Amino acid sequence: MPSNPAQASNSNLNVGPPLWLLAELTYRCPLQCPYCSNPLDFAQTEKELTTEEWVQVLRQGREMGAAQLGFSGGEPLVRTDLEELIGEARSLGYYTNLITSGLGLTEAKVNAFAQAGLDHIQVSFQASDPELNNAIAGSRKAFDQKLKMATAIKQAGYPMVLNFVIHRHNIHQMKDIMALCQSLDADFVELATCQYYGWALENREGLMPSKAQLVKAEHEVNDYRAELEASGSAMKLIFVTPDYYEERPKACMNGWGSLFLTVAPDGTALPCHSARLLPIDFPNVKDTALKSVWYDSPGFNHYRGDAWMPEPCRSCDEKEKDFGGCRCQAYLLTGNADNADPVCSKSSYHDRILAARKAADHSTVGIADLVYRNSDNSRLFFKS
């Protein structure tokens, strides 16, 4: 018998289909971002799925009812079969989204992807100015390439969707970032303050904004929203506050194994892209059908429902709203993924969040001191 009652059966949980499938095609990437969410040991990941293996994943996902499909990485443009996979996804009826840095993209590819049926492209920027953007990205041509591709994407008829990861070294640029987005005629802009997994956790002291920085940025975003509304602009701004400045945890992934299914480059199936860091045995699509992965595997049933919850989550009247918070965050900060997310003020480990906030208020870690994903690239910008 499984020690966790939630692993024994999901028959009483009324599990629906995975509506959002994230295909992490590769962990390879030309960028060096010090907040990358990919695993720290990504270089040790086993061989990537082949084109045919990915096609089988897409087909099985669609048969189960998945409707949204994201192509992600790493940098998905590294895969030479991306156009073929987009075409397969279109024939299956997915709404498809390419999440890219823009490096490796060309106008020809933008148009070819449109012909293949791609619905949506999200381009990430690292800052509003070339110097900081390129230093974080690890490429002297990154900023200009991103600008060029953002323009090409808009001209090709795609919605203009931009993403900026916000941290203590670019949060002072909020007004300039929003002005840049408006100049690019963006439709949607996600200003996503760092969430601390992977490299971001490794660099938390050097990335986490102070409370004062965060408050100022929120005011600037709200003021800019008001200006956009007054001018009749259709650009939408989404500002994501870091979990560490909340008193209640987020409903991570809308609940474990509820809507989202991620397939990692090596075929490992996960309820979220960070879950592979947990001490849980997750199935691989190479040897397990996606339907069985989703409905039957112990990994996906591990934190479904509330039978697994210890106190204070078990008796909390908000457990159906936040599902106990983020399991990865609980594991990283307490060493036990069963614990309440330390972000929650009811958690006995909440003091660790408060300590992180205090450290952010006094951090002197410079951008040159961060640990970069591809450390060799940082030498282009930072002299020892």
Side-chain angles (χ1 to χ4, degrees):
M1 289 289 291
S3 60
N4 185 332
Q7 295 181 43
S9 172
N10 64 12
S11 60
N12 64 333
L13 297 180
N14 194 28
V15 178
L19 299 180
W20 222 109
L21 177 62
L22 181 65
E24 289 191 314
L25 300 180
T26 181
Y27 285 143
R28 292 174 289 158
C29 182
L31 303 189
Q32 66 168 16
C33 303
Y35 46 72
C36 179
S37 62
N38 287 167
L40 294 178
D41 62 349
F42 71 93
Q44 306 303 316
T45 302
E46 297 178 13
K47 188 177 180 181
E48 296 170 2
L49 294 182
T50 65
T51 304
E52 183 53 37
E53 287 170 332
W54 274 117
V55 167
Q56 290 303 315
V57 169
L58 302 187
R59 290 175 180 173
Q60 291 177 47
R62 193 73 184 101
E63 288 171 0
M64 292 170 63
Q68 299 266 355
L69 173 64
F71 291 113
S72 179
E75 175 49 69
L77 290 168
V78 172
R79 293 278 302 216
T80 58
D81 56 359
L82 181 55
E83 185 179 341
E84 181 179 349
L85 294 175
I86 291 170
E88 178 67 22
R90 165 56 66 187
S91 70
L92 292 169
Y94 282 103
Y95 182 90
T96 51
N97 178 22
L98 173 62
I99 303 166
T100 177
S101 67
L103 272 69
L105 195 58
T106 64
E107 291 183 27
K109 287 183 179 179
V110 168
N111 293 323
F113 293 162
Q115 283 292 112
L118 185 64
D119 295 295
H120 183 117
I121 302 178
Q122 175 184 295
V123 178
S124 65
F125 279 77
Q126 281 67 42
S128 61
D129 70 284
E131 183 178 5
L132 180 57
N133 186 100
N134 294 347
I136 294 172
S139 168
R140 297 194 186 281
K141 298 181 180 179
F143 188 78
D144 289 343
Q145 169 70 4
K146 290 170 184 289
L147 288 181
K148 182 179 179 181
M149 288 304 101
T151 301
I153 289 165
K154 187 72 176 183
Q155 291 176 344
Y158 290 100
M160 172 55 61
V161 183
L162 302 178
N163 170 273
F164 288 77
V165 176
I166 305 300
H167 46 81
R168 69 182 299 112
H169 299 292
N170 67 3
I171 198 168
H172 65 282
Q173 296 184 338
M174 295 302 292
K175 291 182 179 179
D176 291 336
I177 286 172
M178 292 182 288
L180 172 63
C181 295
Q182 195 167 15
S183 73
L184 291 171
D185 198 17
D187 298 290
F188 299 94
V189 179
E190 182 181 33
L191 305 166
T193 312
C194 261
Q195 304 293 341
Y196 300 102
Y197 309 95
W199 265 263
L201 181 63
E202 185 85 3
N203 288 302
R204 187 179 69 188
E205 187 177 347
L207 291 174
M208 189 168 165
S210 68
K211 180 66 173 179
Q213 285 180 309
L214 185 64
V215 169
K216 182 174 184 289
E218 287 178 326
H219 282 312
E220 290 174 343
V221 172
N222 288 333
D223 289 346
Y224 209 92
R225 281 198 189 107
E227 293 175 13
L228 290 173
E229 185 175 351
S231 68
S233 172
M235 187 172 83
K236 303 297 182 186
L237 294 173
I238 301 171
F239 186 81
V240 182
T241 302
D243 293 359
Y244 280 52
Y245 283 106
E246 301 285 4
E247 295 300 318
R248 288 289 181 271
K250 63 184 177 184
C252 189
M253 309 303 290
N254 270 14
W256 179 280
S258 174
L259 295 176
F260 297 89
L261 195 164
T262 295
V263 179
D266 64 355
T268 303
L270 303 163
C272 80
H273 69 279
S274 295
R276 70 183 309 152
L277 63 86
L278 299 176
I280 295 174
D281 185 21
F282 290 106
N284 193 293
V285 298
K286 292 179 181 179
D287 46 45
T288 307
L290 210 59
K291 186 174 183 179
S292 181
V293 163
W294 182 255
Y295 290 106
D296 305 322
S297 69
F300 273 77
N301 282 307
H302 202 100
Y303 290 116
R304 281 178 171 147
D306 59 15
W308 61 271
M309 289 183 178
E311 295 295 347
C313 297
R314 182 181 291 273
S315 58
C316 181
D317 59 6
E318 296 185 47
K319 67 182 180 182
E320 294 183 1
K321 297 179 182 178
D322 60 34
F323 314 111
C326 177
R327 297 302 88 219
C328 298
Q329 200 152 253
Y331 178 71
L332 288 169
L333 295 179
T334 77
N336 185 346
D338 291 359
N339 287 331
D341 188 334
V343 164
C344 183
S345 61
K346 298 180 181 181
S347 167
S348 58
Y349 295 94
H350 189 60
D351 61 312
R352 300 185 183 186
I353 295 294
L354 300 180
R357 294 179 192 172
K358 185 176 181 179
D361 282 336
H362 300 93
S363 175
T364 58
V365 178
I367 192 166
D369 301 317
L370 299 175
V371 179
Y372 287 83
R373 172 186 156 121
N374 301 323
S375 58
D376 289 345
N377 286 3
S378 64
R379 296 173 188 169
L380 295 170
F381 301 91
F382 306 122
K383 296 181 179 178
S384 58

